[in-house]
Amino acid sequence: MPARMPHPARDIADYLGTGDLALSKTESLCLVADIGGTNARFGLVSDSRDEPREVRNLRCADYSDLVAAIEDFLGRIPGCPRPEAACVAVAGPVLGDRIRLTNAAWDFSVADSRRRLGLARLEVINDFSALALAVPQLPNEGFVRIGTGIRRYDEPMAVIGPGTGLGVAGLMRSRHGWIPIAGEGGHADLPVRTEHEAEIARLLRADHGAVCAETALSGPGLVRLYRAVCAVDGVAPTYGRPEKICAAAREHRDPLASRTMGVFFGLLGTFAGGVALTFGARGGVLLGGGILPGIADLLAASDFRRRFVESSALPGYLEDVATEIIVAATPALRGAAYRLAQR
C-alpha cells in the first residue's frame, strides 16, 4: 500500500495525567463528525492529525439538531477547549446551506450552526465522501479482502455500504489530493437477477411501492428481505432485527435466515458490480457501512464475489478488481479529518 499523502506538520499534544486535552500555543483543535441515520460519532483532531481522539458515539434521536449533539459531546470532555473548525459528514445529499438527513429527523442550516457553535469554519460533506477519503489513509489491517483482486491507487475507486441506508461514493486521485464523488446510488433500482429475487421484489413492491436498492440492501432492508423470504415459503417470520437475522444465519439456527443472507449478499454483489462499472472503479470497490464489518466471514463465504464479477458483460473487466471490507474503527472520521487538512 502506498504511503499516506503528506500531512501538515505538528502532531497533537499528548493527554496529560489530568485527563485534559493539552495543546501548544501554536495548535488549534478541530472537530470531526459522522452523522448517520441512527448514530452520530464525534472526535477531535489537531490541525495536522488525521486520527481522531476522544471519540464518542451518540444517538441522533436524543438530540434536536447538530448543535445540540456537538455541545453535549464537548461537554463530556474535561478541560476541552472550543474547536476552531469542524468537518461534519452526513448521511444525505449536501446541496447547499440546508441539510436534511435522509434517514433521521435533523434539519439544519450550515451557516446558522457555524454561528451558534462559534466556529471559524464548518464544512459539511456527504458521509460516504468522508468514507471514501479515509480509504487511502487506512493501514492494510483496516481491510479484509473478499476474493481475488488488486487495489490500484492510480485508478478510480468506489465505496458502498449498507447501514441505516445504502451509501455510495466514488474516489479519484489528482495532483491536488484525493477527490470524492458523492452520489445517491442507493436509490437506484434493486438489481434483481433470479426468479427467486423477482418474487421477493414483487412482494417488496406490494408492501412498499417503489423498490430501490436501499429497500433491501440496508439494515431495515435486511428485515424486509427476511420477511419476504418467509412469505415466499409460507412461513411466519421469527426475527425482527437485522442483528438477530445475522446471528441466526451464522449459528445455522434458521434456514430462512441463512437463505435471506444469501439473497442479501447476491443482490449486494450485483449492485457492487454495477457501481464499479458506473464509476469505472478499476482501483477497487470498498465495502463499509454499519452491517458488513461484523459479518465479514459470512460475506466471504457467500456468492457475493461471483455475482460481482458476473455483473459485467465485458469479459475480464471486473475479475481483477479488488473487493474489500473496511473494518477500521470510525473511518469516516478519518476522512473528515483529511478533508480539513486538504482544505
Side-chain angles (χ1 to χ4, degrees):
M1 177 177 178
R4 296 180 184 176
M5 296 188 68
H7 221 285
R10 295 204 310 267
D11 285 335
I12 195 168
D14 290 333
Y15 284 86
L16 301 180
T18 61
D20 292 349
L21 181 61
L23 299 173
S24 74
K25 293 181 180 180
T26 59
E27 288 178 322
S28 61
L29 195 66
C30 297
L31 179 142
V32 288
D34 174 22
I35 313 299
T38 303
N39 297 307
R41 300 169 184 85
F42 297 95
L44 298 172
V45 295
S46 74
D47 287 339
S48 62
R49 189 177 179 91
D50 63 354
E51 185 171 355
R53 305 182 72 155
E54 289 291 345
V55 173
R56 301 285 196 282
N57 187 44
L58 308 178
R59 286 183 54 81
C60 294
D62 293 340
Y63 303 91
S64 59
D65 61 9
L66 175 68
V67 172
I70 288 177
E71 291 292 3
D72 184 48
F73 163 70
L74 294 174
R76 294 168 183 244
I77 304 171
C80 180
R82 297 293 297 187
E84 296 183 7
C87 181
V88 175
V90 298
V94 179
L95 303 176
D97 178 72
R98 201 79 206 172
I99 305 297
R100 296 176 176 86
L101 299 191
T102 302
N103 293 301
W106 287 7
D107 178 345
F108 61 91
S109 158
V110 177
D112 181 62
S113 298
R114 183 192 64 76
R115 178 188 58 79
R116 291 166 60 193
L117 290 166
L119 296 169
R121 173 179 156 220
L122 172 60
E123 184 166 359
V124 179
I125 62 174
N126 175 264
D127 60 337
F128 267 74
S129 292
L131 185 59
L133 285 171
V135 168
Q137 321 306 321
L138 298 174
N140 288 336
E141 57 268 26
F143 303 90
V144 171
R145 179 177 293 185
I146 303 298
T148 59
I150 303 168
R151 187 103 65 85
R152 300 177 178 89
Y153 282 83
D154 56 343
E155 296 276 1
M157 290 182 273
V159 179
I160 66 173
T164 304
L166 177 61
V168 176
L171 185 68
M172 296 182 64
R173 191 171 192 172
S174 77
R175 60 180 179 173
H176 302 296
W178 294 97
I179 302 173
I181 305 168
E184 290 297 323
H187 297 285
D189 289 343
L190 184 67
V192 170
R193 285 293 177 91
T194 70
E195 290 298 324
H196 186 229
E197 291 169 356
E199 179 64 13
I200 289 171
R202 185 189 66 78
L203 293 174
L204 291 175
R205 280 193 294 273
D207 288 340
H208 304 285
V211 173
C212 65
E214 185 175 277
T215 306
L217 299 178
S218 60
L222 182 56
V223 176
R224 296 184 192 111
L225 270 184
Y226 173 67
R227 290 173 177 165
V229 168
C230 291
V232 169
D233 278 25
V235 177
T238 303
Y239 308 106
R241 295 184 61 82
E243 61 270 22
K244 297 291 186 181
I245 298 169
C246 293
R250 173 177 282 120
E251 298 164 11
H252 306 290
R253 287 189 280 107
D254 187 332
L256 291 176
S258 298
R259 196 177 307 167
T260 298
M261 296 308 302
V263 174
F264 183 87
F265 292 137
L267 289 169
L268 183 65
T270 300
F271 179 77
V275 170
L277 293 169
T278 300
F279 280 113
R282 297 276 300 155
V285 175
L286 294 310
L287 308 169
I291 297 175
L292 299 181
I295 54 174
D297 56 334
L298 295 180
L299 180 64
S302 76
D303 215 21
F304 167 85
R305 179 70 190 186
R306 181 186 67 80
R307 290 280 295 261
F308 173 82
V309 172
E310 291 181 358
S311 297
S312 175
L314 300 172
Y317 188 85
L318 294 177
E319 284 184 3
D320 62 349
V321 173
T323 49
E324 302 176 31
I325 300 179
I326 303 169
V327 295
T330 61
L333 296 186
R334 300 279 293 269
Y338 176 81
R339 181 63 168 239
L340 282 172
Q342 189 180 42
R343 292 298 180 94

